[in-house]
Amino acid sequence: DAAAPLPPAGKPPPLPPAGEAPLFWHVLVYYPCLFALVAGGSSCYLSALPVRSWDFRVFSEAYLLACLPLASLQCLAPKAYARRVEGDLGYPQWVHRLAGLGEAGVV
């Protein structure tokens, strides 16, 4: 069982493929979905309205409220964010910085 070859000295290892970074599912799917269920369910339950009157759009808004602040971190550290969360999407760093800035602006 041979070990993976090391990159040349001074050169960082290649980025993981898109969607295969170690924190992708945690940061962009699991945590926002859990937050949306808890926050949206609490909002609906605490409104004291009958279930037929609940506005279920609150779940999608809660998902965005959880996901966008985490995604906006790519504005501050695009290389670290790509290595740990997104993987290699093939865009230059300035695109990630502007996307993070836009996501922070939405929040």
Side-chain angles (χ1 to χ4, degrees):
D1 196 6
L6 294 174
K11 185 175 181 185
L15 293 173
E20 294 184 18
L23 296 176
F24 175 80
W25 289 97
H26 295 86
V27 171
L28 297 178
V29 180
Y30 300 143
Y31 167 72
C33 285
L34 180 64
F35 181 84
L37 287 173
V38 171
S42 299
S43 172
C44 290
Y45 180 74
L46 294 175
S47 69
L49 294 172
V51 175
R52 290 176 298 185
S53 301
W54 285 2
D55 187 0
F56 290 101
R57 288 177 291 187
V58 72
F59 292 99
S60 61
E61 292 171 4
Y63 179 86
L64 291 175
L65 187 63
C67 191
L68 290 179
L70 294 173
S72 69
L73 292 174
Q74 65 184 320
C75 178
L76 302 173
K79 287 182 186 177
Y81 189 84
R83 184 165 314 289
R84 291 176 180 84
V85 180
E86 276 186 347
D88 186 11
L89 298 177
Y91 296 113
Q93 276 190 6
W94 65 267
V95 172
H96 293 284
R97 287 194 186 275
L98 287 178
L101 189 62
E103 289 158 345
V106 168
V107 173

